[in-house]
């Protein structure tokens, strides 16, 4: 085949691929192929149909020197991950990881599970980052009580007690010394 015969064939093939890539996916599963909705930074009860659908959980530091605040914990029923916002309260320290002590408690006050989870994310000074870590709920049968309520009744709500155990900070670079 010559190049003049291949050119229309290649153009048709490229056009077909472009049309296929631009066509939205059709699925019978919910929310597949739909772009994720951007969550507003501040939610008020006037902007929500149910004010209890969202929670901001702030951790009170054990002492005044705690450089990190944790807020906005969430774990939907079918999620394999837990998320929360971590804020670096210092003006000069870059944080590389935060160790969290999490106690999972059912609505009767019984401890379901306890663990220390390390969230590795770079948090520049005076900044907030979303921390994401694997969930303890491997069977996806628990949901956070202040999160979105699932449609099924065969699941267990839980609450958490959260504290910051440790932080990993960036090493300060030592000044170079010059020998004469």
């Amino acid at each position: 085949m010559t190049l003049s015969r291949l050119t229309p064939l290649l153009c048709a093939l490229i056009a077909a691929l472009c049309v296929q890539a631009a066509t939205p996916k059709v699925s019978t599963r919910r929310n597949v192929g739909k772009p994720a909705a951007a969550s507003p930074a501040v939610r008020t009860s006037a902007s929500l149909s149910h004010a209890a659908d969202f929670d901001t959980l702030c951790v009170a530091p054990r002492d005044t020197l705690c450089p990190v605040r944790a807020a906005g914990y969430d774990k939907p029923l079918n999620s394999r991950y837990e998320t929360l916002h971590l804020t670096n309260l210092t003006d000069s320290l870059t944080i590389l990881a935060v160790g969290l002590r999490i106690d999972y408690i059912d609505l009767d006050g019984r401890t379901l599970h306890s663990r220390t989870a390390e969230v590795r994310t770079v948090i520049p000074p005076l900044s907030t980052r979303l921390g994401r870590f694997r969930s303890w709920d491997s069977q996806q049968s628990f949901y956070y009580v202040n999160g979105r309520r699932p449609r099924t009744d065969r699941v267990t709500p839980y609450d958490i007690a959260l504290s910051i155990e440790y932080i990993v900070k960036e090493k300060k670079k030592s000044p170079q010394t010059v020998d004469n």
Side-chain angles (χ1 to χ4, degrees):
M1 287 191 148
T2 64
L3 185 59
S4 62
R5 287 185 175 180
L6 283 179
T7 303
L9 182 62
L10 288 175
C11 289
L13 182 61
I14 291 172
L17 289 174
C18 289
V19 168
Q20 181 185 12
T23 306
K25 294 180 181 179
V26 178
S27 176
T28 57
R29 292 175 31 204
R30 280 184 288 151
N31 299 327
V32 173
K34 294 181 184 175
S39 60
V42 177
R43 293 183 171 120
T44 62
S45 59
S47 67
L48 299 173
S49 58
H50 299 96
D53 286 348
F54 304 97
D55 175 58
T56 299
L57 175 74
C58 293
V59 177
R62 283 184 248 169
D63 57 357
T64 57
L65 301 176
C66 184
V68 177
R69 183 182 71 217
Y73 172 87
D74 191 30
K75 190 266 178 200
L77 175 64
N78 292 326
S79 178
R80 295 182 191 269
Y81 292 93
E82 299 171 41
T83 59
L84 70 137
H85 293 93
L86 298 168
T87 302
N88 182 350
L89 301 174
T90 67
D91 57 359
S92 62
L93 183 70
T94 298
I95 295 173
L96 303 177
V98 178
L100 303 169
R101 172 68 183 181
I102 308 170
D103 295 317
Y104 302 90
I105 305 161
D106 70 4
L107 298 185
D108 293 328
R110 296 177 298 221
T111 300
L112 299 169
H113 185 66
S114 293
R115 71 172 176 159
T116 299
E118 184 172 281
V119 180
R120 295 181 183 186
T121 184
V122 176
I123 311 171
L126 301 173
S127 298
T128 300
R129 295 292 183 265
L130 181 69
R132 181 178 176 213
F133 51 97
R134 293 285 290 178
S135 177
W136 65 284
D137 180 18
S138 60
Q139 295 179 342
Q140 299 178 349
S141 58
F142 294 89
Y143 72 96
Y144 182 53
V145 69
N146 293 324
R148 191 181 80 217
R149 185 165 173 80
R151 294 179 183 177
T152 182
D153 291 332
R154 289 178 262 140
V155 293
T156 306
Y158 70 91
D159 203 354
I160 64 166
L162 185 112
S163 62
I164 296 172
E165 289 290 309
Y166 62 90
I167 63 166
V168 178
K169 62 181 184 172
E170 187 176 56
K171 277 188 177 180
K172 289 187 178 180
K173 296 176 184 169
S174 60
Q176 299 289 334
T177 57
V178 179
D179 295 329
N180 289 357

